[in-house]
Amino acid sequence: PLSWFTACHRFGPSFSESAELIAGESPDLLFISSFAWAYADLSLQLAEAAVRIRPELPVIIGGHGPSSLPEYFLKAVHPVYPGRPLFSLVVSGEIEGFGELLRPGKADNRFLDLRKLNPKCDIKPMAGESILRAGRRSISITLTRGCPLKCRFCSNHICHGRDFRSSPPGMWVDEVIRINEKYGGTPKIFHLNIEDDNILFMKNDFFCFLDAVRKHYPEVSFSAENGLDYMMLEEQDIIRLKQSGFTRLNLSLAVLSEDSRNKEHRDGDPEKLEKLIHHCHEADLPVTTHFICGLDGDNREDIVKTLRFLDRLPCQTGISNFYPVPGLEGFEDAELFLNRSPSLALGSSVYPWTGALSSAQMITAFRLARWSNFRKKLLEPKEKPFPGSTGADSDTEEELFRKITGSRRLHTILKAGKKGSNRTVVPLSHLDEDMVEGFFR
């Protein structure tokens, strides 16, 4: 229950299998969307696998990764023809509305920079099948682009700009129906995840969308896993989200202290958040509240205060270790990233980008959050159980709970033997003991 990440799993076919599938379609051109800077090397591996089978295949890459640091992709070398670049064209920014610029001769020097241009067309909602959630087919959908807020830690604007734009709400349900039919359409029960973290800018349209989808698919469930801005929610909205089919709320706290909120240009009201979480609890709607650890100016005391604040509330604690992408405020120097692996921009890498907290301190905060969630899983208050309170899964978990509560030190379960059949409770090491002591104080 308190374990750190032990492996990285990439979903989907291998790069070689993907390359075979691509070649089987005999394409004239291959487009790759690089989802995030952290996955830049994976995008390169896919492109390399494809051109090893089809060496003459032109490859165009775009998305958040190339929008953050196009130089990294421009310098990639073709694996079959070392004198050639891997990518025929690298695109930064949104390509929607600028498709004509992809024609031969329209882009100069293999680089098309659209980050400063105003969009030329209405955007469209985009949906795709995702991983199974609770055994249900899952679809994720994006309805909007851009964000006018200026949170220092957020990189949304690097690719999509500061202007908030929405696809026509009348197209939203049609896109859900289209993608459901594309991937079979038979299951009437599925899960829909809304990717937009600013969808509450259009709260009325959002609720109408939920009602319309539920009319087509009465058993559908919903989530917004990137987190909803609690500052835009009211108590009556909680009931409506529950009635619409939300099975869990992900709320974005980001930072707790007022000084940190001001530094990060982030609005917030902890008292309002606390009331909303209690309202969700009364409505039997589980909540995970997310905050960021390792921001510039963070300190151990504030992180422990945040953990203790969430620990006393009927919610799960979600902790995200801060990582920058090229171009973020304070990280504009490309050399910071050209000489480091993109994988260091994964939260699980716990790389101390700002120097405010060490890797050990961020891991300590993560394990304390896991302990808080585990403790609530075992608690069963007389008045009303915490969401997700299921009791211990084994005698070893009961022992783990007793050891931690008795010693006020963090322990974990060490698995050994065939399929981890031998399970032993052991103390955790390499932690920041001052943080642990402060949390249990």
Side-chain angles (χ1 to χ4, degrees):
L2 274 67
S3 64
W4 182 247
F5 300 101
T6 57
C8 179
H9 176 72
R10 191 183 68 82
F11 293 93
S14 67
F15 293 124
S16 59
E17 291 171 327
S18 298
E20 293 286 354
L21 291 170
I22 291 167
E25 296 293 325
S26 301
D28 298 315
L29 187 64
L30 173 62
F31 291 88
I32 295 177
S33 177
S34 181
F35 169 70
W37 165 248
Y39 306 115
D41 283 347
L42 300 182
S43 302
L44 266 61
Q45 291 175 47
L46 175 59
E48 289 169 351
V51 298
R52 282 193 178 99
I53 297 176
R54 291 277 308 277
E56 303 298 335
L57 180 64
V59 183
I60 296 177
I61 189 165
H64 275 271
S67 296
S68 300
L69 191 59
E71 299 97 312
Y72 191 80
F73 300 86
L74 287 166
K75 72 176 185 178
V77 177
H78 199 291
V80 179
Y81 304 120
R84 295 187 190 177
L86 174 59
F87 298 107
S88 302
L89 184 64
V90 175
V91 181
S92 292
E94 289 183 10
I95 194 61
E96 290 172 285
F98 296 98
E100 73 279 1
L101 296 180
L102 297 178
R103 294 174 184 169
K106 290 289 186 179
D108 296 328
N109 301 320
R110 300 176 33 247
F111 177 44
L112 182 58
D113 191 356
L114 305 174
R115 290 172 292 187
K116 303 293 184 181
L117 299 182
N118 293 322
K120 295 171 60 177
C121 69
D122 290 334
I123 61 174
K124 297 179 180 180
M126 295 189 299
E129 191 168 38
S130 184
I131 60 174
L132 288 175
R133 287 173 172 83
R136 288 187 166 197
R137 275 187 57 237
S138 181
I139 292 172
S140 288
I141 190 167
T142 300
L143 307 170
T144 66
R145 312 281 193 279
C147 181
L149 305 179
K150 297 183 179 180
C151 305
R152 289 180 71 232
F153 53 77
C154 181
S155 62
N156 179 289
H157 67 280
I158 292 176
C159 183
H160 297 297
R162 297 286 188 189
D163 294 330
F164 177 78
R165 293 157 289 127
S166 171
S167 56
M171 298 176 65
W172 296 356
V173 176
D174 291 341
E175 176 67 2
V176 174
I177 295 172
R178 182 192 70 81
I179 208 70
N180 188 45
E181 292 177 348
K182 177 181 178 180
Y183 291 107
T186 303
K188 297 298 183 184
I189 301 176
F190 65 91
H191 183 85
L192 182 64
N193 174 51
I194 294 92
E195 288 284 322
D196 311 70
D197 47 14
N198 283 330
I199 192 61
L200 293 178
F201 284 164
M202 306 179 67
K203 188 187 292 187
N204 289 337
D205 289 313
F206 175 54
F207 279 119
C208 288
F209 168 64
L210 298 179
D211 292 342
V213 173
R214 199 166 183 80
K215 184 176 181 181
H216 280 275
Y217 307 103
E219 301 300 321
V220 69
S221 58
F222 296 98
S223 64
E225 294 178 7
N226 280 336
L228 295 174
D229 186 349
Y230 73 90
M231 292 297 290
M232 299 183 187
L233 285 173
E234 304 301 332
E235 290 187 0
Q236 63 267 24
D237 298 327
I238 301 299
I239 301 301
R240 194 165 180 186
L241 289 167
K242 169 78 173 178
Q243 293 173 341
S244 295
F246 264 74
T247 54
R248 171 177 290 275
L249 279 192
N250 289 277
L251 299 180
S252 301
L253 168 60
V255 288
L256 178 66
S257 75
E258 185 175 0
D259 286 345
S260 295
R261 291 201 307 271
N262 291 338
K263 187 169 186 175
E264 296 298 327
H265 313 309
R266 178 76 175 192
D267 196 14
D269 182 349
E271 289 186 6
K272 176 178 181 176
L273 174 62
E274 186 170 350
K275 290 178 182 178
L276 285 174
I277 291 173
H278 280 292
H279 199 68
C280 289
H281 181 47
E282 293 302 316
D284 290 318
L285 183 58
V287 177
T288 300
T289 307
H290 300 264
F291 78 98
I292 303 173
C293 179
L295 291 166
D296 185 27
D298 265 351
N299 57 65
R300 294 181 299 179
E301 293 74 21
D302 281 347
I303 295 300
V304 169
K305 286 179 182 177
T306 303
L307 288 165
R308 286 169 61 90
F309 170 76
L310 295 174
D311 181 61
R312 64 180 174 80
L313 297 176
C315 70
Q316 297 283 289
T317 297
I319 181 170
S320 301
N321 290 314
F322 171 74
Y323 57 87
V325 301
L328 207 61
E329 183 180 338
F331 296 91
E332 296 90 350
D333 184 2
E335 294 300 321
L336 284 173
F337 301 90
L338 290 172
N339 299 319
R340 290 177 171 87
S341 168
S343 64
L344 291 177
L346 289 169
S348 56
S349 293
V350 288
Y351 188 74
W353 283 99
T354 66
L357 298 175
S358 67
S359 296
Q361 288 166 341
M362 288 189 279
I363 292 174
T364 301
F366 178 89
R367 291 191 189 274
L368 286 169
R370 293 292 295 266
W371 158 247
S372 176
N373 294 341
F374 176 62
R375 183 183 68 83
K376 291 175 184 178
K377 172 187 171 184
L378 270 64
L379 285 177
E380 295 183 1
K382 294 180 180 179
E383 298 83 5
K384 187 177 182 66
F386 285 103
S389 296
T390 58
D393 293 335
S394 64
D395 291 340
T396 314
E397 284 197 353
E398 289 279 11
E399 181 186 355
L400 176 66
F401 182 79
R402 290 194 301 270
K403 280 280 182 71
I404 294 177
T405 53
S407 67
R408 302 170 78 84
R409 291 186 60 200
L410 294 183
H411 292 62
T412 192
I413 297 173
L414 185 65
K415 298 179 182 179
K418 189 175 182 180
K419 295 184 179 180
S421 55
N422 298 324
R423 296 156 61 91
T424 308
V425 176
V426 298
L428 281 166
S429 57
H430 306 294
L431 300 176
D432 187 301
E433 294 301 337
D434 288 338
M435 293 179 70
V436 176
E437 182 180 344
F439 179 84
F440 284 107
R441 185 174 298 138

